[in-house]
Amino acid sequence: MPKLDLFLHVTSPHLEQLAHSLGKQIDLQDRHQKKGLRILLCNLYVHGKNKIVVSRRIQSLGGVKYNPLNIECGAINNSLDKLKIAGYIVQVIGNPSEGTMTTMESTDKLIQWFKDTGWSDNSIDKTVGSYISLREARKQNGRTVYVDFKDTKYSKWLGERVRQYDQLLNGCRIALLNDDGSENKVFKKFTVQREFIEQQSTHENMEFAFGGKITAPWTNLSSKFKENVTINGEPTIEIDIDATNLNAMYQVITGAAYPHKDDPYFISVDEVVVPMHIVKSFSSFMQSSKTPKGAAHSVLNFYKKKALEVKNSKEEDVKQHDEYIEFKRNTKPTDIAQAILDKHSLVVSHFNKGNTYGDFISCWGSDIAFEVIMELTKKEIPCLVTDDSFIVPAQHKDLVNEMKNSTAYVDRRDIKEALK
């Protein structure tokens, strides 16, 4: 579900005046409230009848990098309430203690108002505060907290490359189809960013060296929906980024990819093959835990949360939880962890070094993926990045597969001391 985008604004003086008139009609009193109204209208127009997550918390909406138009939280809340009273939106108030967020959705009345007043995609633009974001390592009351930052030589370099990538994708028609081939959703006026995590380090040039995932509206699409993406009307293909962080460890530490022909996640304990999803879970948590026992505890909590502690859990998540519970009846979790360490002896010293180091490793994988993205952008080949795959027009399958397997890690930050 999309979140309120604070970068959007109207470019037409005519539409700005119409929004001003609507503000007066629904009894918004001052220019700050009407500025908040314009942000809401832009988001509602772009997303049509889809729900949009919006925060009603009484707090700053961020500095210039996250809130370049200086929108006030009170203006958002007042505009939401007035639009609801006037019948222009459906607003459902969330409850943080229950893990739900406030959402807004256009009514038919608002959709008709957009048509009557001549709104169009061309009348909306975005003022991007930054193509890089930096967040605190821990959430506060279940919410992500973003941090204002000073640009560095690296962040300026990276921001320009992300901007070029964002510009290429915004020039494409990226659609999500229904099973019958009709368009379910068209991604419009979005912003691609790289999201880093604020961590402390004794080394230089480490301000943007943790996390670094590429974020966009399609980042967390399910496998079912990934199959239905088209770019400029062309079918696409999903290309898995195999063993993302594990291969990144080999690239960074040894200077080469995983050296063997077998799957890096193929593990057995006492000649019993460990299910692949269990190995992946252990490998992931061992990159951010401090001990194998701690990783085993995190793996169990991970399976329990996805299968038992969420509403409407997925059938696959329940199946994997049950399989793990059954498997560990006969195989000690710490034996699984040890088997992974034995298999990956070349990088063994980089496991179990804690959460901060785990975010550092994650950034290696993100950096390698972005090296691929930069080369494709130069060739004007659109490529969507999800958590574990590339989505590209099917005609470029062979090229992207080759690039995925041959692209090396590049130390763009000059942090070789931290990589030792």
Side-chain angles (χ1 to χ4, degrees):
M1 195 180 301
K3 296 180 180 179
L4 184 70
D5 187 342
L6 295 177
F7 293 167
L8 299 181
H9 63 89
V10 292
T11 59
S12 163
H14 173 63
L15 291 188
E16 187 170 336
Q17 182 57 46
L18 287 170
H20 179 82
S21 298
L22 178 63
K24 290 180 65 176
Q25 176 191 324
I26 63 177
D27 197 29
L28 291 178
Q29 300 299 324
D30 60 43
R31 62 184 180 87
H32 297 291
Q33 293 178 356
K34 290 168 184 173
K35 190 160 66 168
L37 172 65
R38 290 197 297 273
I39 280 281
L40 295 181
L41 291 175
C42 287
N43 278 266
L44 289 160
Y45 177 79
V46 166
H47 292 292
K49 291 285 288 182
N50 294 300
K51 293 180 180 179
I52 303 167
V53 173
V54 56
S55 173
R56 292 186 60 97
R57 290 175 67 89
I58 307 299
Q59 63 180 27
S60 169
L61 297 180
V64 67
K65 292 189 182 297
Y66 307 105
N67 183 13
L69 302 176
N70 194 28
I71 305 300
E72 298 178 357
C73 61
I76 294 293
N77 292 344
N78 287 333
S79 297
L80 282 170
D81 293 339
K82 297 293 186 180
L83 285 169
K84 179 184 177 182
I85 291 169
Y88 286 107
I89 65 168
V90 175
Q91 179 184 203
V92 178
I93 305 296
N95 185 337
S97 65
E98 297 179 358
T100 60
M101 298 285 288
T102 296
T103 61
M104 65 175 183
E105 179 184 357
S106 297
T107 62
D108 291 340
K109 181 178 179 179
L110 181 58
I111 297 293
Q112 189 61 50
W113 182 83
F114 284 135
K115 292 178 180 178
D116 293 343
T117 52
W119 281 61
S120 69
D121 293 342
N122 293 334
S123 64
I124 297 175
D125 204 350
K126 58 182 186 179
T127 298
V128 178
S130 176
Y131 288 97
I132 294 172
S133 65
L134 184 67
R135 65 173 177 84
E136 292 185 1
R138 298 192 176 209
K139 292 185 176 182
Q140 293 185 12
N141 299 318
R143 298 175 185 270
T144 300
V145 178
Y146 288 96
V147 181
D148 283 325
F149 58 87
K150 292 183 180 180
D151 275 308
T152 64
K153 180 180 178 180
Y154 171 74
S155 72
K156 291 177 181 178
W157 173 87
L158 179 62
E160 174 57 21
R161 272 67 188 176
V162 180
R163 184 197 67 78
Q164 293 170 6
Y165 174 49
D166 175 271
Q167 187 174 44
L168 173 66
L169 294 187
N170 269 281
C172 299
R173 184 176 179 83
I174 302 170
L176 189 61
L177 304 185
N178 296 308
D179 291 337
D180 63 3
S182 60
E183 288 187 347
N184 175 291
K185 178 178 178 60
V186 177
F187 296 102
K188 300 184 292 185
K189 306 296 180 181
F190 52 81
T191 299
V192 179
Q193 293 180 309
R194 281 195 66 181
E195 181 179 275
F196 294 92
I197 302 169
E198 185 182 48
Q199 297 282 17
Q200 300 301 313
S201 174
T202 58
H203 298 284
E204 293 184 350
N205 304 324
M206 296 287 284
E207 299 90 343
F208 305 97
F210 303 93
K213 70 181 289 187
I214 299 168
T215 62
W218 47 80
T219 302
N220 298 314
L221 280 179
S222 67
S223 297
K224 176 184 176 182
F225 287 124
K226 290 176 186 177
E227 297 174 357
N228 294 337
V229 172
T230 62
I231 300 178
N232 294 331
E234 297 182 46
T236 60
I237 188 165
E238 182 183 11
I239 299 174
D240 290 338
I241 306 174
D242 306 314
T244 310
N245 290 348
L246 191 53
N247 265 324
M249 290 173 74
Y250 277 91
Q251 285 267 16
V252 173
I253 304 307
T254 72
Y258 176 69
H260 307 296
K261 292 184 179 180
D262 69 332
D263 192 305
Y265 288 128
F266 182 83
I267 299 291
S268 63
V269 176
D270 296 332
E271 299 184 349
V272 177
V273 175
V274 183
M276 190 75 72
H277 68 90
I278 296 177
V279 181
K280 288 183 177 181
S281 296
F282 267 86
S283 176
S284 177
F285 282 108
M286 286 167 64
Q287 291 166 8
S288 57
S289 64
K290 292 185 177 180
T291 64
K293 186 175 181 180
H297 182 71
S298 296
V299 169
L300 177 60
N301 286 341
F302 168 73
Y303 282 118
K304 286 173 62 177
K305 183 176 181 179
K306 293 186 72 175
L308 307 177
E309 298 175 8
V310 298
K311 294 180 180 178
N312 304 316
S313 55
K314 297 177 183 177
E315 182 179 344
E316 183 66 16
D317 291 336
V318 174
K319 179 181 175 182
Q320 290 187 352
H321 167 268
D322 293 346
E323 186 173 24
Y324 177 60
I325 295 300
E326 183 62 30
F327 191 83
K328 76 185 190 76
R329 294 183 193 279
N330 301 309
T331 304
K332 292 171 59 177
T334 51
D335 287 346
I336 299 174
Q338 188 58 52
I340 293 172
L341 296 176
D342 292 343
K343 183 182 182 81
H344 298 292
S345 57
L346 291 176
V347 295
V348 68
S349 63
H350 294 268
F351 283 104
N352 299 316
K353 294 182 70 172
N355 188 62
T356 297
Y357 202 81
D359 290 337
F360 192 28
I361 293 174
S362 293
C363 200
W364 304 345
S366 298
D367 285 347
I368 295 171
F370 197 68
E371 291 292 330
V372 174
I373 289 299
M374 286 193 293
E375 289 304 309
L376 291 173
T377 300
K378 290 177 185 177
K379 299 176 186 294
E380 298 188 349
I381 297 174
C383 175
L384 314 185
V385 183
T386 72
D387 284 339
D388 54 7
S389 64
F390 297 121
I391 299 175
V392 296
Q395 61 177 305
H396 300 300
K397 173 185 176 182
D398 291 342
L399 172 64
V400 176
N401 258 321
E402 190 278 327
M403 292 178 67
K404 176 198 73 171
N405 294 327
S406 63
T407 300
Y409 175 81
V410 181
D411 179 11
R412 301 279 186 183
R413 302 171 183 79
D414 189 19
I415 55 173
K416 50 185 174 293
E417 289 301 318
L419 296 172
K420 290 181 178 179

